[in-house]
Coordinates of all heavy atoms in Angstrom, one line a residue:
M1 N 0.9 -1.2 0.0 CA 0.0 0.0 0.0 C 0.9 1.2 0.0 O 1.8 1.3 0.8 CB -0.9 0.0 1.2 CG -1.8 1.2 1.4 SD -2.9 1.2 2.8 CE -4.2 0.3 2.1
T2 N 0.6 2.1 -0.9 CA 1.4 3.4 -1.0 C 0.7 4.4 0.0 O -0.4 4.2 0.5 CB 1.4 3.9 -2.4 OG1 0.1 4.3 -2.8 CG2 2.0 2.9 -3.4
K3 N 1.4 5.5 0.1 CA 0.9 6.6 0.9 C -0.4 7.1 0.4 O -1.4 7.4 1.1 CB 1.9 7.8 1.1 CG 1.4 8.9 2.0 CD 2.5 9.9 2.2 CE 2.0 11.0 3.1 NZ 3.0 12.1 3.2
A4 N -0.5 7.2 -1.0 CA -1.8 7.7 -1.6 C -2.9 6.7 -1.3 O -4.0 7.2 -1.1 CB -1.5 7.9 -3.1
E5 N -2.6 5.4 -1.4 CA -3.7 4.5 -1.1 C -4.1 4.5 0.3 O -5.3 4.3 0.6 CB -3.2 3.1 -1.5 CG -2.9 2.9 -3.0 CD -2.2 1.6 -3.3 OE1 -1.5 1.1 -2.5 OE2 -2.3 1.1 -4.5
L6 N -3.1 4.7 1.2 CA -3.5 4.8 2.6 C -4.3 6.1 2.9 O -5.3 6.0 3.6 CB -2.2 4.9 3.5 CG -2.3 4.9 5.0 CD1 -3.1 3.7 5.5 CD2 -1.0 5.0 5.6
V7 N -4.0 7.2 2.2 CA -4.8 8.4 2.4 C -6.2 8.1 1.9 O -7.2 8.5 2.6 CB -4.2 9.6 1.6 CG1 -5.1 10.7 1.5 CG2 -2.9 10.0 2.3
T8 N -6.4 7.4 0.8 CA -7.7 7.1 0.3 C -8.5 6.2 1.3 O -9.7 6.4 1.5 CB -7.6 6.4 -1.1 OG1 -6.9 7.3 -2.0 CG2 -9.0 6.0 -1.6
A9 N -7.8 5.2 1.8 CA -8.4 4.3 2.8 C -8.9 5.1 4.1 O -10.0 4.9 4.6 CB -7.5 3.2 3.2
I10 N -8.0 6.0 4.5 CA -8.4 6.8 5.7 C -9.6 7.7 5.4 O -10.5 7.8 6.2 CB -7.2 7.7 6.1 CG1 -6.0 6.8 6.7 CG2 -7.6 8.7 7.2 CD1 -4.7 7.6 6.9
S11 N -9.6 8.3 4.2 CA -10.7 9.1 3.8 C -12.0 8.4 3.8 O -13.0 8.9 4.2 CB -10.3 9.7 2.4 OG -11.4 10.5 1.9
E12 N -12.0 7.2 3.2 CA -13.2 6.4 3.1 C -13.7 5.9 4.5 O -14.9 5.9 4.8 CB -12.9 5.1 2.3 CG -12.8 5.5 0.8 CD -12.3 4.3 0.0 OE1 -12.1 3.2 0.5 OE2 -12.2 4.5 -1.3
K13 N -12.8 5.5 5.4 CA -13.2 5.0 6.7 C -13.6 6.1 7.7 O -14.4 5.9 8.6 CB -12.1 4.1 7.3 CG -11.9 2.9 6.5 CD -10.8 2.0 7.1 CE -10.5 0.8 6.3 NZ -11.1 -0.4 6.7
S14 N -13.0 7.3 7.5 CA -13.2 8.4 8.5 C -14.2 9.4 8.0 O -14.6 10.3 8.7 CB -11.9 9.1 8.9 OG -11.4 9.7 7.7
E15 N -14.6 9.3 6.7 CA -15.5 10.3 6.1 C -14.9 11.7 6.1 O -15.6 12.7 6.1 CB -16.8 10.3 6.7 CG -17.6 9.0 6.6 CD -18.9 9.0 7.3 OE1 -19.4 10.0 7.8 OE2 -19.5 7.9 7.3
L16 N -13.5 11.8 6.1 CA -12.8 13.0 5.9 C -12.5 13.2 4.4 O -12.5 12.2 3.7 CB -11.5 13.1 6.7 CG -11.6 13.0 8.2 CD1 -10.2 12.8 8.8 CD2 -12.2 14.3 8.7
T17 N -12.2 14.4 4.0 CA -11.8 14.6 2.6 C -10.4 14.0 2.5 O -9.7 13.8 3.5 CB -11.7 16.1 2.3 OG1 -10.7 16.8 3.1 CG2 -13.1 16.8 2.5
K18 N -10.0 13.8 1.3 CA -8.6 13.3 1.0 C -7.6 14.3 1.5 O -6.5 13.9 2.0 CB -8.4 12.9 -0.5 CG -9.1 11.7 -0.9 CD -8.7 11.3 -2.3 CE -9.3 10.0 -2.7 NZ -8.9 9.5 -4.0
K19 N -7.9 15.5 1.3 CA -6.9 16.6 1.7 C -6.7 16.5 3.3 O -5.6 16.6 3.8 CB -7.4 17.9 1.3 CG -6.4 19.0 1.4 CD -6.9 20.3 0.8 CE -5.8 21.4 0.8 NZ -6.2 22.6 0.1
D20 N -7.9 16.4 4.0 CA -7.8 16.4 5.5 C -7.1 15.1 5.9 O -6.4 15.1 6.9 CB -9.2 16.5 6.1 CG -9.7 17.9 6.0 OD1 -8.9 18.9 5.7 OD2 -11.0 18.1 6.1
S21 N -7.4 14.0 5.2 CA -6.8 12.7 5.6 C -5.3 12.7 5.4 O -4.6 12.2 6.2 CB -7.4 11.6 4.7 OG -8.8 11.4 5.0
E22 N -4.8 13.4 4.3 CA -3.4 13.5 4.1 C -2.7 14.4 5.2 O -1.7 14.0 5.6 CB -3.1 14.1 2.7 CG -1.7 14.1 2.4 CD -1.4 14.5 0.9 OE1 -2.3 14.8 0.2 OE2 -0.2 14.5 0.6
K23 N -3.4 15.4 5.6 CA -2.9 16.3 6.6 C -2.8 15.5 7.9 O -1.8 15.6 8.7 CB -3.8 17.5 6.9 CG -3.6 18.6 5.8 CD -4.6 19.8 6.2 CE -4.5 20.9 5.2 NZ -5.4 22.0 5.5
A24 N -3.8 14.7 8.2 CA -3.8 13.9 9.5 C -2.7 12.9 9.5 O -2.0 12.7 10.4 CB -5.2 13.2 9.7
L25 N -2.6 12.2 8.3 CA -1.5 11.2 8.2 C -0.1 11.8 8.3 O 0.7 11.3 9.0 CB -1.6 10.4 6.9 CG -0.6 9.3 6.6 CD1 -0.6 8.3 7.7 CD2 -0.8 8.7 5.2
S26 N 0.1 12.9 7.7 CA 1.4 13.6 7.7 C 1.7 14.1 9.2 O 2.8 14.0 9.6 CB 1.4 14.8 6.8 OG 1.3 14.4 5.5
A27 N 0.6 14.5 9.9 CA 0.8 15.0 11.3 C 1.2 13.8 12.2 O 2.1 13.9 13.0 CB -0.5 15.6 11.8
V28 N 0.6 12.6 12.0 CA 0.9 11.5 12.8 C 2.3 11.0 12.5 O 3.1 10.7 13.4 CB -0.1 10.3 12.5 CG1 0.4 9.0 13.0 CG2 -1.5 10.6 13.0
I29 N 2.7 11.0 11.2 CA 4.1 10.5 10.9 C 5.1 11.5 11.4 O 6.1 11.1 12.0 CB 4.2 10.4 9.3 CG1 3.4 9.2 8.8 CG2 5.7 10.3 8.9 CD1 3.3 9.2 7.3
E30 N 4.8 12.8 11.4 CA 5.7 13.8 11.9 C 5.8 13.7 13.4 O 6.9 13.8 14.0 CB 5.2 15.2 11.5 CG 6.1 16.3 11.9 CD 7.5 16.3 11.3 OE1 7.6 15.8 10.1 OE2 8.5 16.8 11.9
A31 N 4.7 13.5 14.1 CA 4.7 13.4 15.6 C 5.5 12.2 16.0 O 6.3 12.2 16.9 CB 3.3 13.3 16.1
I32 N 5.3 11.0 15.3 CA 6.1 9.8 15.6 C 7.6 10.0 15.4 O 8.4 9.7 16.2 CB 5.6 8.6 14.8 CG1 4.2 8.2 15.3 CG2 6.5 7.4 15.0 CD1 3.4 7.2 14.5
S33 N 7.9 10.6 14.2 CA 9.3 10.9 13.9 C 10.0 11.8 14.9 O 11.1 11.5 15.3 CB 9.4 11.5 12.5 OG 8.8 10.7 11.5
E34 N 9.3 12.8 15.3 CA 9.9 13.8 16.3 C 10.1 13.1 17.6 O 11.2 13.3 18.3 CB 9.0 15.0 16.5 CG 9.0 16.0 15.4 CD 8.0 17.1 15.5 OE1 7.4 17.2 16.6 OE2 7.9 17.9 14.6
S35 N 9.2 12.2 18.1 CA 9.3 11.5 19.3 C 10.5 10.6 19.3 O 11.3 10.5 20.2 CB 8.1 10.7 19.7 OG 7.0 11.6 20.0
L36 N 10.7 9.9 18.1 CA 11.8 8.9 18.0 C 13.1 9.7 17.9 O 14.1 9.2 18.5 CB 11.6 8.1 16.7 CG 10.5 7.1 16.8 CD1 10.3 6.4 15.4 CD2 10.6 6.1 17.9
A37 N 13.1 10.8 17.3 CA 14.3 11.6 17.2 C 14.8 12.1 18.6 O 16.0 12.3 18.9 CB 14.1 12.8 16.3
N38 N 13.8 12.3 19.5 CA 14.1 12.7 20.9 C 14.4 11.5 21.8 O 14.5 11.7 23.0 CB 12.9 13.5 21.4 CG 12.8 14.9 20.8 OD1 13.7 15.4 20.3 ND2 11.5 15.3 20.7
G39 N 14.4 10.3 21.2 CA 14.7 9.1 22.0 C 13.6 8.6 22.7 O 13.7 7.7 23.6
E40 N 12.4 9.0 22.5 CA 11.2 8.5 23.1 C 10.5 7.4 22.3 O 10.7 7.4 21.1 CB 10.1 9.7 23.3 CG 10.7 10.9 24.0 CD 9.7 12.1 23.9 OE1 8.7 12.0 23.3 OE2 10.1 13.1 24.5
S41 N 9.8 6.6 23.0 CA 9.0 5.6 22.2 C 7.6 6.0 22.1 O 7.1 6.9 22.9 CB 9.0 4.2 23.0 OG 8.4 4.3 24.2
V42 N 6.9 5.5 21.1 CA 5.5 5.8 20.8 C 4.7 4.5 20.9 O 4.9 3.6 20.1 CB 5.3 6.5 19.5 CG1 3.8 6.8 19.2 CG2 6.1 7.8 19.4
Q43 N 3.8 4.4 21.8 CA 3.0 3.2 22.0 C 1.5 3.5 21.6 O 0.9 4.3 22.1 CB 3.0 2.7 23.5 CG 2.3 1.4 23.7 CD 2.4 1.0 25.1 OE1 3.0 1.6 26.0 NE2 1.8 -0.2 25.4
L44 N 1.1 2.7 20.6 CA -0.3 2.7 20.1 C -0.9 1.4 20.6 O -0.7 0.4 19.9 CB -0.3 2.9 18.6 CG 0.4 4.2 18.1 CD1 0.4 4.1 16.6 CD2 -0.2 5.4 18.6
V45 N -1.7 1.5 21.6 CA -2.3 0.3 22.2 C -3.2 -0.4 21.1 O -4.0 0.2 20.4 CB -3.2 0.6 23.4 CG1 -3.9 -0.6 24.0 CG2 -2.3 1.3 24.5
G46 N -2.9 -1.7 21.0 CA -3.6 -2.5 20.0 C -3.0 -2.6 18.6 O -3.3 -3.4 17.8
F47 N -2.0 -1.7 18.4 CA -1.3 -1.6 17.1 C 0.2 -2.0 17.3 O 0.7 -3.0 16.7 CB -1.4 -0.3 16.5 CG -0.8 -0.2 15.1 CD1 -1.3 -0.8 14.0 CD2 0.4 0.5 15.0 CE1 -0.7 -0.8 12.8 CE2 1.0 0.6 13.7 CZ 0.5 0.0 12.6
G48 N 0.9 -1.3 18.1 CA 2.3 -1.6 18.4 C 3.1 -0.4 19.0 O 2.5 0.6 19.3
T49 N 4.4 -0.6 19.0 CA 5.2 0.4 19.6 C 6.4 0.7 18.7 O 7.1 -0.2 18.2 CB 5.8 -0.1 21.0 OG1 4.7 -0.5 21.8 CG2 6.7 0.9 21.7
F50 N 6.6 2.0 18.5 CA 7.7 2.5 17.7 C 8.7 2.9 18.8 O 8.4 3.6 19.8 CB 7.3 3.8 16.9 CG 6.3 3.5 15.8 CD1 5.0 3.6 16.0 CD2 6.8 3.1 14.6 CE1 4.1 3.4 15.0 CE2 5.8 2.9 13.5 CZ 4.5 3.0 13.8
E51 N 10.0 2.5 18.6 CA 11.0 2.8 19.6 C 12.3 3.0 18.9 O 12.5 2.7 17.7 CB 11.1 1.6 20.6 CG 11.4 0.3 20.0 CD 11.3 -0.8 21.0 OE1 10.8 -0.6 22.1 OE2 11.7 -2.0 20.7
V52 N 13.3 3.4 19.7 CA 14.7 3.7 19.2 C 15.5 2.6 19.8 O 15.5 2.3 21.0 CB 15.2 5.1 19.6 CG1 16.6 5.3 19.1 CG2 14.3 6.1 19.0
R53 N 16.4 2.0 19.0 CA 17.3 0.9 19.5 C 18.7 1.3 19.1 O 19.0 1.9 18.1 CB 17.0 -0.4 18.8 CG 15.6 -1.0 19.3 CD 15.4 -2.4 18.8 NE 14.1 -2.8 19.2 CZ 13.4 -3.7 18.6 NH1 13.9 -4.3 17.5 NH2 12.2 -4.1 19.0
E54 N 19.6 0.9 20.0 CA 21.0 1.2 19.8 C 21.7 0.0 19.1 O 21.5 -1.1 19.6 CB 21.7 1.5 21.1 CG 21.2 2.7 21.8 CD 21.5 4.0 21.2 OE1 22.6 4.1 20.5 OE2 20.7 4.9 21.3
R55 N 22.4 0.2 18.1 CA 23.2 -0.9 17.4 C 24.7 -0.7 17.9 O 25.2 0.4 17.7 CB 23.1 -0.8 15.9 CG 21.9 -1.5 15.4 CD 22.1 -1.8 13.9 NE 20.8 -2.2 13.3 CZ 20.5 -2.0 12.1 NH1 21.3 -1.5 11.2 NH2 19.3 -2.4 11.7
K56 N 25.3 -1.7 18.3 CA 26.7 -1.6 18.7 C 27.6 -1.5 17.5 O 27.2 -2.0 16.4 CB 27.1 -2.8 19.6 CG 26.3 -2.9 20.9 CD 26.7 -4.2 21.6 CE 25.9 -4.3 22.9 NZ 26.3 -5.5 23.6
A57 N 28.8 -1.0 17.7 CA 29.8 -1.0 16.7 C 30.2 -2.5 16.4 O 30.2 -3.3 17.3 CB 31.0 -0.2 17.1
R58 N 30.5 -2.8 15.2 CA 30.8 -4.2 14.8 C 31.7 -4.2 13.6 O 31.9 -3.2 12.9 CB 29.6 -5.0 14.6 CG 28.8 -4.4 13.4 CD 27.4 -5.1 13.4 NE 26.6 -4.8 12.2 CZ 26.0 -3.7 11.9 NH1 26.0 -2.7 12.8 NH2 25.3 -3.5 10.8
T59 N 32.3 -5.3 13.4 CA 33.2 -5.5 12.2 C 32.4 -6.1 11.1 O 31.7 -7.1 11.3 CB 34.4 -6.4 12.6 OG1 35.1 -5.8 13.6 CG2 35.3 -6.5 11.4
G60 N 32.4 -5.6 9.9 CA 31.7 -6.1 8.8 C 32.7 -6.4 7.6 O 33.9 -6.2 7.8
I61 N 32.2 -6.9 6.5 CA 33.0 -7.2 5.4 C 32.5 -6.5 4.2 O 31.3 -6.6 3.9 CB 33.1 -8.7 5.1 CG1 33.7 -9.4 6.3 CG2 33.9 -9.0 3.8 CD1 33.7 -10.9 6.1
N62 N 33.3 -5.7 3.5 CA 32.9 -5.0 2.3 C 32.7 -6.1 1.2 O 33.7 -6.9 0.8 CB 34.0 -4.1 1.8 CG 33.6 -3.3 0.6 OD1 32.9 -3.7 -0.2 ND2 34.2 -2.1 0.5
P63 N 31.5 -6.3 0.6 CA 31.3 -7.3 -0.3 C 32.1 -7.2 -1.6 O 32.3 -8.2 -2.3 CB 29.8 -7.2 -0.6 CG 29.3 -6.0 0.0 CD 30.3 -5.5 0.9
R64 N 32.5 -6.0 -2.0 CA 33.2 -5.8 -3.2 C 34.7 -6.2 -3.1 O 35.3 -7.0 -3.9 CB 33.2 -4.4 -3.7 CG 31.9 -4.0 -4.3 CD 32.0 -2.6 -4.9 NE 30.7 -2.1 -5.4 CZ 30.5 -0.9 -5.8 NH1 31.5 0.0 -5.8 NH2 29.3 -0.6 -6.2
T65 N 35.3 -5.7 -2.0 CA 36.7 -5.9 -1.8 C 37.0 -7.1 -0.8 O 38.2 -7.5 -0.7 CB 37.4 -4.7 -1.2 OG1 36.8 -4.4 0.1 CG2 37.2 -3.5 -2.1
K66 N 36.1 -7.6 -0.1 CA 36.2 -8.7 0.9 C 37.1 -8.3 2.0 O 37.5 -9.1 2.8 CB 36.7 -10.0 0.2 CG 36.0 -10.4 -1.0 CD 34.6 -10.8 -0.6 CE 33.9 -11.4 -1.9 NZ 32.5 -11.3 -1.9
K67 N 37.3 -7.0 2.2 CA 38.1 -6.5 3.3 C 37.2 -6.2 4.5 O 36.1 -5.8 4.4 CB 38.9 -5.2 2.9 CG 40.0 -5.4 1.9 CD 40.7 -4.0 1.7 CE 41.8 -4.2 0.7 NZ 42.6 -3.0 0.5
K68 N 37.8 -6.4 5.7 CA 37.1 -6.1 6.9 C 37.0 -4.6 7.1 O 38.0 -3.9 6.8 CB 37.8 -6.8 8.1 CG 37.7 -8.3 8.1 CD 38.2 -8.8 9.4 CE 38.0 -10.4 9.4 NZ 38.5 -11.0 10.6
I69 N 35.8 -4.2 7.5 CA 35.6 -2.7 7.8 C 35.0 -2.6 9.2 O 34.3 -3.5 9.7 CB 34.7 -2.1 6.7 CG1 33.4 -2.8 6.6 CG2 35.4 -2.0 5.4 CD1 32.4 -2.1 5.8
Q70 N 35.2 -1.5 9.8 CA 34.6 -1.2 11.1 C 33.3 -0.4 10.9 O 33.3 0.6 10.3 CB 35.5 -0.4 12.0 CG 35.0 -0.3 13.4 CD 34.9 -1.6 14.2 OE1 35.6 -2.5 13.9 NE2 34.0 -1.6 15.1
I71 N 32.1 -1.0 11.4 CA 30.8 -0.3 11.3 C 30.6 0.4 12.6 O 30.6 -0.3 13.6 CB 29.7 -1.3 10.9 CG1 30.1 -2.0 9.6 CG2 28.4 -0.6 10.9 CD1 29.2 -3.2 9.3
E72 N 30.3 1.7 12.5 CA 30.1 2.5 13.8 C 28.8 2.1 14.5 O 27.9 1.7 13.8 CB 30.2 3.9 13.4 CG 31.5 4.4 12.9 CD 31.5 5.9 12.6 OE1 30.5 6.6 13.0 OE2 32.5 6.4 12.0
A73 N 28.8 2.4 15.7 CA 27.5 2.3 16.5 C 26.5 3.3 15.9 O 26.9 4.4 15.5 CB 27.8 2.5 18.0
T74 N 25.2 2.9 16.0 CA 24.2 3.8 15.4 C 22.9 3.6 16.2 O 22.7 2.6 16.9 CB 24.0 3.6 13.9 OG1 23.1 4.6 13.4 CG2 23.5 2.2 13.6
T75 N 22.0 4.6 16.0 CA 20.7 4.5 16.6 C 19.7 4.3 15.4 O 19.8 5.0 14.5 CB 20.3 5.8 17.3 OG1 21.4 6.1 18.3 CG2 19.0 5.8 18.0
V76 N 18.8 3.3 15.6 CA 17.9 3.0 14.5 C 16.4 3.0 15.0 O 16.2 2.6 16.2 CB 18.2 1.7 13.8 CG1 19.6 1.8 13.1 CG2 18.2 0.5 14.8
P77 N 15.5 3.3 14.2 CA 14.1 3.2 14.6 C 13.7 1.7 14.5 O 14.2 1.0 13.6 CB 13.3 4.0 13.6 CG 14.2 4.1 12.4 CD 15.6 4.0 12.9
A78 N 12.7 1.3 15.3 CA 12.2 -0.1 15.3 C 10.7 -0.1 15.6 O 10.2 0.8 16.2 CB 13.0 -0.9 16.3
F79 N 10.1 -1.1 15.2 CA 8.6 -1.3 15.4 C 8.4 -2.7 16.0 O 8.9 -3.7 15.5 CB 7.8 -1.1 14.2 CG 6.4 -1.3 14.4 CD1 5.6 -0.4 15.0 CD2 5.7 -2.5 13.9 CE1 4.2 -0.6 15.2 CE2 4.4 -2.7 14.1 CZ 3.6 -1.8 14.8
K80 N 7.6 -2.7 17.1 CA 7.2 -4.0 17.7 C 5.7 -4.1 17.6 O 5.0 -3.2 18.2 CB 7.7 -4.1 19.1 CG 7.4 -5.4 19.8 CD 7.9 -5.4 21.2 CE 7.5 -6.7 21.9 NZ 7.9 -6.7 23.3
A81 N 5.2 -5.1 16.9 CA 3.8 -5.2 16.7 C 3.1 -5.6 18.0 O 3.6 -6.4 18.8 CB 3.5 -6.3 15.7
G82 N 1.9 -5.0 18.3 CA 1.1 -5.3 19.4 C 0.4 -6.6 19.3 O 0.2 -7.2 18.2
K83 N -0.2 -7.1 20.4 CA -0.9 -8.4 20.4 C -2.1 -8.4 19.4 O -2.3 -9.3 18.6 CB -1.4 -8.7 21.8 CG -2.1 -10.0 21.9 CD -2.5 -10.3 23.3 CE -3.3 -11.6 23.4 NZ -3.8 -11.8 24.8
A84 N -2.9 -7.3 19.4 CA -4.1 -7.3 18.5 C -3.7 -7.3 17.1 O -4.3 -8.0 16.2 CB -4.9 -6.0 18.8
L85 N -2.6 -6.6 16.7 CA -2.1 -6.6 15.3 C -1.6 -8.0 14.9 O -1.9 -8.4 13.8 CB -1.0 -5.5 15.1 CG -0.4 -5.4 13.7 CD1 -1.5 -5.1 12.7 CD2 0.7 -4.4 13.7
K86 N -0.9 -8.6 15.8 CA -0.3 -9.9 15.5 C -1.5 -10.9 15.3 O -1.4 -11.7 14.3 CB 0.5 -10.4 16.7 CG 1.9 -9.7 16.7 CD 2.7 -10.3 17.9 CE 3.9 -9.6 18.2 NZ 4.7 -10.1 19.4
E87 N -2.5 -10.8 16.1 CA -3.6 -11.7 16.0 C -4.4 -11.5 14.7 O -4.8 -12.5 14.0 CB -4.6 -11.6 17.2 CG -4.0 -12.2 18.5 CD -4.9 -11.9 19.7 OE1 -5.9 -11.1 19.6 OE2 -4.5 -12.4 20.8
K88 N -4.6 -10.2 14.3 CA -5.3 -9.9 13.1 C -4.6 -10.4 11.8 O -5.1 -10.9 10.9 CB -5.6 -8.4 13.0 CG -6.5 -8.0 11.9 CD -7.0 -6.6 12.1 CE -8.1 -6.3 11.1 NZ -8.8 -5.1 11.4
V89 N -3.2 -10.2 11.8 CA -2.4 -10.6 10.7 C -2.4 -12.2 10.6 O -2.4 -12.7 9.5 CB -1.0 -10.0 10.8 CG1 -0.1 -10.6 9.8 CG2 -1.1 -8.5 10.7
S90 N -2.3 -12.9 11.7 CA -2.2 -14.3 11.7 C -3.4 -15.1 11.2 O -3.4 -16.2 11.0 CB -1.7 -14.8 13.0 OG -2.7 -14.7 14.0
K91 N -4.5 -14.4 11.2 CA -5.8 -15.1 10.8 C -5.9 -15.2 9.3 O -5.4 -14.6 8.5 CB -7.0 -14.3 11.3 CG -7.1 -14.5 12.8 CD -8.4 -13.8 13.3 CE -8.4 -14.0 14.8 NZ -9.6 -13.5 15.4

């Protein structure tokens, strides 16, 4: 599903215009992004949790040259599905 298709689905289910649905979706994405950037998690009960995870520094291999390289530690966004979402998808 693309963002445009998601906007259409939101519009149909909420009886909002497509323009208002796009604004709402953009606002939700922006709010989640800002919270993650601040190191906070976002929990949507019944859906899941967006969180920030730390990846440790590690040694990797460059696939072209086969030489070992050092990969720096980094912070990455992660999503953990909630129970209700898992149950709905598994049916």
